[in-house]
Amino acid sequence: MSRKAADMYSTDAVPTGFPHNPRSWTPVPHKQLFVRIEEDLVEDERRSLKGLLYGRIPAGKLQKYSVGDIFRHMERMGQISPTNLEPIAVLMETIHRKDWAIKARAQEEETRATRQRASAPGRSSQPLAGRRQYRTDGPGRKRTRDVAVRAGTSTTPDAGPATDGLDSDEDSSGSDGNDEPPVKRRAPANPITDAHLAKLARNMPHGWKTVGLECFGATTADIDRWRTKYPNDRDMQIVEMFKSWKDKTGKTATLRTLCDKLDKAEVQYNVYSFLTEDNSE
């Protein structure tokens, strides 16, 4: 595994004693962001970025550092963190790469939300009953399956069928065939942020262009322009579509009106359900 690839992973979960299986490492989203930015910036943009950081990073290090090294140095120095990527967003805007500024802010917001959910009162750190978990036991060993059950339920093979366990390839949640669709919640009338649009763009299905043409006032010329502006970035093309609608709609463009439009366009609720849970002011 190359250094660049290894930088995307956390070694917190790596068992002691090398060698080990790299596939057992845990991907770290904000470090993956560092690598993607480094791979996407062109040479002129890299030089501009380094020029902005003179005085903040020792000149000798800055000269030999790659973009990813710069971000990792800033993290070690406490200038950025998984929940504070705003300095990166500002740097990206300064070198006219607003697409990466949007993605950095979206990643920061997603990390904050994930940590809030994990620390919510009453949330158990133990996996739900019947939830299959996969692990890699070491080099050359086959991936095995653990059936996680609540305390008091045996997981041994000869203990007989467990009421909460999962012994087949069918998920227990779908065994009765009577699953009900999720209840749609009304979104709050909060402002729409770039982070909202970035996450929504990642969730949008392949038919997003039809949705834009039919329900969000986009034209084929608009779609061609966004595709030219971001030829290899589908997510940013979708972000541009929603921002165009937001700008045309004005002050009435809120999370509620956005979700109502998506519902009218028959976009699946799970694509935008996170917008109904927004608690920002």
Side-chain angles (χ1 to χ4, degrees), residues 201-245:
R202 290 199 300 270
N203 294 347
M204 283 295 288
H206 292 297
W208 67 270
K209 295 177 185 176
T210 302
V211 172
L213 291 169
E214 294 182 355
C215 299
F216 285 89
T219 65
T220 53
D222 290 332
I223 293 175
D224 288 341
R225 186 174 68 256
W226 301 327
R227 188 162 46 194
T228 301
K229 186 176 181 180
Y230 300 107
N232 300 314
D233 197 332
R234 167 188 174 273
D235 289 357
M236 283 307 301
Q237 294 172 25
I238 299 175
V239 167
E240 288 291 314
M241 178 189 76
F242 286 124
K243 288 184 71 175
S244 175
W245 165 81

Side-chain angles (χ1 to χ4, degrees), residues 121-270:
R123 183 179 178 88
S124 173
S125 59
Q126 186 177 9
L128 294 175
R131 181 72 56 81
R132 285 198 304 272
Q133 294 205 330
Y134 295 91
R135 68 175 182 222
T136 301
D137 288 326
R141 298 187 183 181
K142 292 182 179 180
R143 181 170 290 184
T144 60
R145 184 179 74 180
D146 284 340
V147 179
V149 294
R150 294 287 186 188
T153 306
S154 174
T155 58
T156 55
D158 56 350
T163 56
D164 288 335
L166 188 63
D167 296 323
S168 69
D169 289 336
E170 297 291 332
D171 286 333
S172 58
S173 60
S175 58
D176 56 4
N178 295 322
D179 290 342
E180 296 182 358
V183 178
K184 292 183 179 180
R185 299 173 55 184
R186 192 81 193 275
N190 293 346
I192 302 169
T193 67
D194 286 345
H196 290 139
L197 297 183
K199 186 172 182 179
L200 178 60
R202 290 199 300 270
N203 294 347
M204 283 295 288
H206 292 297
W208 67 270
K209 295 177 185 176
T210 302
V211 172
L213 291 169
E214 294 182 355
C215 299
F216 285 89
T219 65
T220 53
D222 290 332
I223 293 175
D224 288 341
R225 186 174 68 256
W226 301 327
R227 188 162 46 194
T228 301
K229 186 176 181 180
Y230 300 107
N232 300 314
D233 197 332
R234 167 188 174 273
D235 289 357
M236 283 307 301
Q237 294 172 25
I238 299 175
V239 167
E240 288 291 314
M241 178 189 76
F242 286 124
K243 288 184 71 175
S244 175
W245 165 81
K246 177 185 170 185
D247 292 341
K248 292 175 183 176
T249 306
K251 294 181 179 180
T252 60
T254 64
L255 292 179
R256 180 171 296 171
T257 55
L258 174 59
C259 290
D260 289 346
K261 296 279 285 185
L262 292 167
D263 182 52
K264 185 177 180 180
E266 299 183 351
V267 175
Q268 290 188 356
Y269 177 66
N270 62 352

Side-chain angles (χ1 to χ4, degrees), residues 18-196:
F18 271 63
H20 61 274
N21 191 340
R23 289 177 296 178
S24 64
W25 292 12
T26 305
V28 181
H30 77 285
K31 291 184 182 293
Q32 291 178 308
L33 179 74
F34 296 168
V35 173
R36 293 200 302 270
I37 292 176
E38 178 178 349
E39 292 175 343
D40 189 55
L41 296 186
V42 298
E43 187 59 34
D44 287 345
E45 292 168 336
R46 295 191 188 104
R47 284 197 295 267
S48 298
L49 179 65
K50 290 185 177 184
L52 293 170
L53 292 170
Y54 273 114
R56 296 169 56 181
I57 296 178
K61 292 183 177 180
L62 192 59
Q63 189 173 13
K64 66 180 181 180
Y65 274 177
S66 67
V67 172
D69 291 333
I70 289 172
F71 293 154
R72 285 183 283 275
H73 176 87
M74 293 173 67
E75 184 176 19
R76 288 194 299 271
M77 295 297 102
Q79 298 173 10
I80 60 174
S81 70
T83 55
N84 178 28
L85 299 176
E86 183 61 22
I88 291 181
V90 172
L91 288 170
M92 292 298 103
E93 286 180 332
T94 306
I95 65 172
H96 308 294
R97 290 303 304 264
K98 191 172 182 180
D99 52 331
W100 284 114
I102 290 173
K103 291 178 181 180
R105 291 189 175 109
Q107 181 58 60
E108 175 185 320
E109 185 169 306
E110 190 169 330
T111 300
R112 289 179 184 274
T114 299
R115 293 189 177 185
Q116 287 177 354
R117 289 194 297 268
S119 61
R123 183 179 178 88
S124 173
S125 59
Q126 186 177 9
L128 294 175
R131 181 72 56 81
R132 285 198 304 272
Q133 294 205 330
Y134 295 91
R135 68 175 182 222
T136 301
D137 288 326
R141 298 187 183 181
K142 292 182 179 180
R143 181 170 290 184
T144 60
R145 184 179 74 180
D146 284 340
V147 179
V149 294
R150 294 287 186 188
T153 306
S154 174
T155 58
T156 55
D158 56 350
T163 56
D164 288 335
L166 188 63
D167 296 323
S168 69
D169 289 336
E170 297 291 332
D171 286 333
S172 58
S173 60
S175 58
D176 56 4
N178 295 322
D179 290 342
E180 296 182 358
V183 178
K184 292 183 179 180
R185 299 173 55 184
R186 192 81 193 275
N190 293 346
I192 302 169
T193 67
D194 286 345
H196 290 139

